[in-house]
Amino acid sequence: MLFLCLIGGGLYFYFTVNSRTPIWYYNRALDHYQAGRLDKAWKDLHKTLAMDPDYANAYYTLGLIAERWEEMEEAKRYFDKALELDPDDLYTLYNRGRLHYNDEEYAEAKMLFDQALAIEPADGDTHYLNALIHESLGEIEAAMESYRQAVNADPGNMNAWLFLGKLYDKAQQYEMAVEAYRRIIAIDPNNLEGNYELSISLAKTGDWDGTIEFCRKTLEIDPNYAKAYNQLGLAFYCKNEPQNAIAEYQKAIELDPGYATAYNNLGYAFEKLEKFGEAIDTFRKYLTLSKNPKETEEIRQHIELLEKKRLDVKK
């Protein structure tokens, strides 16, 4: 911009540089974005691109804003443009891959995640999403390894620990599952799912006292968690305390009257006390709720046996 200036009776000309460069607008857009002023950030990003159409970070940030506005197709378009200009940007690779994952486009997502991990092998978020892809494709060993990489990169990633624990559980590696859930509780002692899943895995190792401990901890966090009462009942049943088991199963049913598994377990607890009438009634209730044909047929046959036992007792 040209300015005139009068100095000592003489007229001088000088130039000043316009400080509003593309990076100036981009930095102001970032300030607006971080403050939640998305409309203003959007405008400044477009001003950035008007001055420099190849400013990759501006397209990336527009993609983030479009996603927050739930304009998903527009978000993809901006991320794709950012990658076209800067194919090795870790954050754009991650976020575009994440949108592929959300659309169940696993091959496309994995390609971008692998590219991101080649740039930054210790990126925990990318390992975590890669694990989700492997799990979705049924690649359990690969999923486990990716979850392990995720928690190695970020030991505080509770979701990665949770899903890793569940995979260990499916693989019948119960001690490993216990360790994964204990990691969650070490981070957040009041994590509901961590405490509950720990109680499940401890039961599978035969640690009934541990199961009771973490069922009770789960119920301290959420007194209305019906599954924890059912699991608590199972622990008492396996400790040969059927009366205590009955009390816990009944609490589960009170909270969730359609809880078929709790009715099934309650039936066996009544049977253990030789309360055959109550057992039969409870199993019949289970039959009205169960959607498992195989188990339903087994319980029908079991009811017939109980009917005979009840008749024998009457004799």
Side-chain angles (χ1 to χ4, degrees):
M1 182 177 291
L2 178 65
F3 282 86
L4 297 175
C5 185
L6 184 62
I7 301 178
L11 191 62
Y12 293 85
F13 295 92
Y14 72 97
F15 290 88
T16 182
V17 177
N18 186 348
S19 63
R20 297 197 172 187
T21 61
I23 195 168
W24 187 91
Y25 279 112
Y26 179 71
N27 286 335
R28 192 172 74 169
L30 287 185
D31 289 340
H32 287 315
Y33 178 80
Q34 290 166 0
R37 299 185 293 267
L38 301 186
D39 287 329
K40 291 182 177 180
W42 186 267
K43 291 177 183 177
D44 275 345
L45 290 167
H46 281 289
K47 289 177 182 177
T48 302
L49 292 171
M51 299 175 73
D52 182 358
D54 294 332
Y55 205 113
N57 284 342
Y59 287 108
Y60 167 72
T61 310
L62 283 169
L64 294 178
I65 293 173
E67 186 177 2
R68 288 181 65 175
W69 285 342
E70 298 185 1
E71 299 289 345
M72 305 311 293
E73 293 306 315
E74 198 165 5
K76 294 171 191 176
R77 181 169 62 85
Y78 282 123
F79 288 146
D80 286 340
K81 182 63 177 178
L83 284 176
E84 178 186 323
L85 294 167
D86 186 359
D88 294 327
D89 182 76
L90 180 65
Y91 296 105
T92 312
L93 288 166
Y94 170 80
N95 281 288
R96 184 63 182 99
R98 181 174 50 78
L99 294 188
H100 278 305
Y101 171 78
N102 290 344
D103 289 340
E104 298 185 3
E105 297 167 354
Y106 299 134
E108 293 87 344
K110 192 171 186 312
M111 179 182 69
L112 295 182
F113 292 151
D114 287 344
Q115 189 176 338
L117 289 170
I119 299 166
E120 179 48 77
D123 185 70
D125 290 336
T126 305
H127 280 298
Y128 172 69
L129 284 182
N130 237 356
L132 293 178
I133 289 172
H134 286 305
E135 190 170 356
S136 298
L137 295 173
E139 300 166 356
I140 301 306
E141 289 298 326
M144 282 184 180
E145 180 57 28
S146 289
Y147 283 132
R148 284 191 287 263
Q149 293 284 350
V151 296
N152 285 341
D154 178 10
N157 188 334
M158 290 193 291
N159 282 333
W161 282 118
L162 178 65
F163 290 128
L164 180 57
K166 289 183 177 182
L167 287 186
Y168 281 139
D169 186 78
K170 285 181 181 178
Q172 299 182 6
Q173 298 178 31
Y174 302 128
E175 294 292 348
M176 298 295 287
V178 166
E179 176 60 23
Y181 298 135
R182 287 193 187 279
R183 292 296 189 100
I184 296 172
I185 294 170
I187 299 165
D188 177 10
N190 292 317
N191 184 279
L192 180 70
E193 199 163 5
N195 278 280
Y196 176 68
E197 293 296 339
L198 178 54
S199 76
I200 297 289
S201 291
L202 287 169
K204 291 175 180 178
T205 69
D207 183 354
W208 301 114
D209 289 334
T211 301
I212 291 168
E213 176 187 354
F214 287 99
C215 281
R216 285 180 169 155
K217 178 61 179 177
T218 302
L219 291 166
E220 286 177 16
I221 299 166
D222 181 359
N224 296 318
Y225 202 71
K227 288 183 178 180
Y229 283 112
N230 179 68
Q231 185 67 13
L232 192 53
L234 178 63
F236 282 125
Y237 180 89
C238 292
K239 281 171 63 71
N240 200 30
E241 300 178 25
Q243 196 63 56
N244 287 334
I246 288 169
E248 302 304 334
Y249 292 141
Q250 288 174 331
K251 289 174 187 175
I253 291 167
E254 183 180 343
L255 288 167
D256 183 359
Y259 195 173
T261 300
Y263 278 103
N264 186 55
N265 292 339
L266 178 59
Y268 282 109
F270 278 131
E271 181 181 356
K272 197 163 193 174
L273 290 173
E274 297 187 353
K275 294 184 176 182
F276 300 124
E278 290 92 329
I280 290 167
D281 291 342
T282 304
F283 282 130
R284 283 176 176 159
K285 179 63 177 178
Y286 166 78
L287 290 177
T288 67
L289 298 170
S290 175
K291 296 179 181 179
N292 186 319
K294 182 180 177 182
E295 289 183 3
T296 296
E297 182 56 32
E298 289 175 355
I299 292 299
R300 284 199 179 98
Q301 293 176 11
H302 194 66
I303 288 173
E304 291 178 6
L305 292 175
L306 291 177
E307 292 281 13
K308 292 177 182 177
K309 287 183 179 182
R310 183 166 61 170
L311 288 174
D312 289 341
V313 169
K314 288 182 179 179
K315 290 178 181 178

